[in-house]
Amino acid sequence: MTAIILSGRTMSAELKIELREDVQRYVQRYGQAPGLVVVCVEGDPASGVYSKAILKLSDTLGVQARLELLPAETTSEELRTALVRLNEDAAVHGIIVQMPLPAHLSQEVVANTISPAKDIDGISPLSAGKLCLGQPGFQPSTAAAVMEMLERSQTPLDGQHVVVLGRSNVVGKPLALLLLQKHATVTVCHSHTHDLPSITRQADVLVAAVGRARMVTAEMVRPGATVIDVGTNAVPEGGIVGDIDFASVEKVAGAATPTPGGVGPLTNVLLLKQCIRAAWQQAAQ
Ligand code: NAP
């Protein structure tokens, strides 16, 4: 068997067309574009690259986005004050703060300060609580991207056994909750899990969000299973590989995502999708 390739690039292109149309409808109705601010505290070189990618995508979709660059020595109180100002700015509908923050700043300050109405990456305790209770709200964008990919590929979830590798607050845990909402039977594995292959081989759908290059090999995959790779790992020989050993897994899986070109291209698009939804919600109040 050779797996069907689930292309995040193709799905992302489809979704971008839909979102552009949604933004046009919003502008026609309210006379202004949805507004997004990316807050970046200087210090992490990768954050600048990620911020630019979000701004470029926003521009493509017609979302009014800007970067708020804060100096590396920004104090906790100054960060809080900046976020409160953005919370109160009616032209700003979504706020994202690039992680990681410098060591002297805690993610908790950000999570507890961003208005839940503008928390488009689902990091606030209220967003997490709503997700846990199955109420509508904003979700961490990578978990949302995996769900979008499963939906667009019409992967059955109801009654299916989904094994999630990884239990982080940004991917594994929220994803498990979203899968439960779709009536999947969910097993979450982590670094203390014994005999991983015996569990992964039971999966109808296997999602890897671990951060270990090519750790999931063909022997760990049930023939015909759908395999989604969230991992992005830089390798010494250059380039990025996933948590899935794609070359061997594609020979046994029914469907699989490549890396790069899988979940990655969808993640920022889902962030923008949630920003546009935030704008509609705020305008309706
Ligand atoms: P993380 O916070 O480091 O969490 C990794 C998880 O994997 C933890 O729950 C850890 O278990 C588990 N784990 C580690 N070694 C394991 C092993 N040998 N067997 C089973 N589980 C193991 O990472 P993350 O933020 O969730 O990200 C995961 C991967 O996704 C990374 O490669 C990251 O770069 C990538 N990522 C991609 C996107 C995208 O847009 N494509 C977005 C976000 C993240 P413990 O909890 O026991 O430590």
Side-chain angles (χ1 to χ4, degrees):
M1 175 181 290
T2 304
I4 294 166
I5 306 300
L6 302 178
S7 167
R9 291 207 177 103
T10 304
M11 294 182 200
S12 147
E14 289 165 7
L15 183 53
K16 280 195 250 182
I17 292 169
E18 294 163 22
L19 293 181
R20 244 194 314 260
E21 288 169 2
D22 200 23
V23 169
Q24 281 163 6
R25 277 192 294 274
Y26 184 91
V27 173
Q28 271 167 14
R29 180 120 179 231
Y30 294 110
Q32 59 161 7
L36 165 68
V37 172
V38 181
V39 178
C40 187
V41 184
E42 284 175 317
D44 177 47
S47 290
V49 178
Y50 293 139
S51 301
K52 272 193 196 139
I54 295 170
L55 295 182
K56 193 170 163 220
L57 175 63
S58 302
D59 196 42
T60 309
L61 300 180
V63 169
Q64 191 80 44
R66 68 180 166 84
L67 177 67
E68 181 131 345
L69 196 57
L70 301 175
E73 60 275 12
T74 299
T75 65
S76 223
E77 197 43 41
E78 286 165 343
L79 177 58
R80 215 186 66 78
T81 304
L83 291 174
V84 169
R85 179 173 40 78
L86 295 173
N87 284 345
E88 289 166 356
D89 185 341
V92 176
H93 303 103
I95 304 168
I96 170 158
V97 179
Q98 286 294 0
M99 302 293 167
L101 292 165
H104 69 280
L105 296 173
S106 83
Q107 191 177 333
E108 229 177 350
V109 170
V110 175
N112 290 333
T113 309
I114 287 185
S115 161
K118 301 187 179 187
D119 176 28
I120 55 166
D121 206 21
I123 65 164
S124 74
L126 188 75
S127 299
K130 283 186 168 179
L131 176 57
C132 194
L133 296 173
Q135 294 174 9
F138 298 116
Q139 303 148 4
S141 49
T142 308
V146 173
M147 295 306 290
E148 186 85 25
M149 179 161 257
L150 291 169
E151 194 176 320
R152 283 184 187 261
S153 58
Q154 298 179 338
T155 303
L157 293 174
D158 194 327
Q160 301 294 293
H161 188 183
V162 184
V163 174
V164 179
L165 304 184
R167 58 173 165 178
S168 72
N169 288 339
V170 287
V171 193
K173 222 181 279 175
L175 180 60
L177 291 165
L178 289 166
L179 289 162
L180 281 175
Q181 285 179 18
K182 296 289 179 191
H183 312 295
T185 302
V186 184
T187 302
V188 181
C189 301
H190 45 79
S191 67
H192 295 242
T193 301
H194 292 298
D195 194 5
L196 206 55
S198 73
I199 300 170
T200 57
R201 275 196 298 267
Q202 294 172 35
D204 299 304
V205 178
L206 176 61
V207 185
V210 172
R212 282 174 180 259
R214 305 185 184 106
M215 75 166 270
V216 177
T217 52
E219 305 74 56
M220 296 171 72
V221 176
R222 192 178 62 73
T226 296
V227 183
I228 309 285
D229 194 354
V230 180
T232 49
N233 310 288
V235 280
E237 61 269 29
I240 298 284
V241 301
D243 292 345
I244 307 291
D245 178 31
F246 189 78
S248 72
V249 166
E250 74 163 339
K251 296 192 176 84
V252 289
T257 61
T259 301
V263 175
L266 270 174
T267 301
N268 281 346
V269 188
L270 263 292
L271 184 75
L272 267 294
K273 183 180 179 181
Q274 298 199 97
C275 183
I276 297 161
R277 196 171 93 220
W280 281 108
Q281 286 171 357
Q282 285 161 54
Q285 279 169 1

